[in-house]
């Protein structure tokens, strides 16, 4: 499984993965269960994913760049794909941030589910997109 990245000289403390696990546990309701499930799907789609904790408490999954973030609000769990506008979404999972030029998001409300295989396909596409951007830079 992916590990959190440590900056040289960073203060010792919980890893990003531990902080994400704590957030899931602390939510303690459908939002925690939803975030747990989506995290599992991300890890299944990309066993090499890197979990990060950014912006004062946002779970982030990366592979050669940000794949998506996982935010929890009172009535929604939001998975924002950093380059979602560049991804094909035949299953129409993206249902938020549709007007932006770069990002796309999936808002999941209580009682809703996301198709496992379609979501994993988006994760794999995001990895391929990041890889293509990386190869153009080198």
């Amino acid at each position: 499984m992916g590990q959190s990245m440590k900056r040289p000289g960073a203060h010792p403390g919980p890893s990003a993965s531990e902080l994400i696990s704590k957030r899931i546990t602390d939510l303690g309701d459908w939002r925690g269960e939803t975030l747990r499930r989506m995290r599992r799907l991300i890890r299944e789609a990309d066993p090499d994913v890197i979990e990060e904790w950014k912006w004062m408490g946002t779970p982030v999954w990366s592979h050669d760049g940000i794949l998506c973030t996982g935010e929890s609000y009172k009535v929604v769990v939001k998975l924002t794909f950093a380059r979602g506008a560049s991804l094909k979404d035949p299953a129409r999972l993206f249902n938020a941030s549709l007007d932006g030029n770069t990002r796309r998001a999936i808002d999941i409300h209580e009682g809703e589910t996301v198709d496992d295989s379609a979501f994993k396909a988006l994760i794999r596409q995001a990895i391929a997109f990041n890889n293509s951007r990386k190869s153009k830079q080198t």
Side-chain angles (χ1 to χ4, degrees):
M1 299 283 163
Q3 300 294 316
S4 69
M5 295 175 28
K6 297 252 186 196
R7 288 186 295 250
H11 297 282
S15 70
S17 293
E18 291 168 334
L19 291 169
I20 293 169
S21 293
K22 182 175 180 350
R23 165 70 49 81
I24 289 168
T25 301
D26 288 350
L27 286 169
D29 59 11
W30 69 270
R31 296 171 302 162
E33 286 305 313
T34 299
L35 197 55
R36 176 180 286 114
R37 178 175 174 265
M38 303 316 291
R39 179 192 202 187
R40 177 181 51 80
L41 293 175
I42 293 166
R43 289 173 159 181
E44 287 174 6
D46 181 10
D48 296 323
V49 73
I50 295 171
E51 293 190 317
E52 301 175 278
W53 188 254
K54 294 186 174 197
W55 308 298
M56 299 188 321
T58 302
V60 177
W61 291 275
S62 298
H63 188 138
D64 293 327
I66 293 174
L67 300 174
C68 69
T69 63
E71 300 159 89
S72 53
Y73 299 99
K74 187 174 183 176
V75 298
V76 70
V77 171
K78 180 182 282 292
L79 298 161
T80 303
F81 282 69
R83 301 287 179 189
S86 299
L87 306 179
K88 291 182 175 113
D89 181 23
R92 297 183 162 224
L93 296 182
F94 291 133
N95 60 7
S97 304
L98 300 176
D99 295 332
N101 293 329
T102 308
R103 295 178 301 180
R104 292 288 183 271
I106 302 169
D107 282 0
I108 308 167
H109 297 87
E110 186 171 8
E112 295 178 340
T113 59
V114 173
D115 179 86
D116 291 10
S117 59
F119 182 75
K120 288 180 184 182
L122 279 179
I123 292 294
R124 291 181 186 115
Q125 268 195 80
I127 295 165
F129 183 81
N130 286 354
N131 285 336
S132 72
R133 288 173 45 92
K134 182 181 175 186
S135 65
K136 288 179 186 174
Q137 293 173 352
T138 55

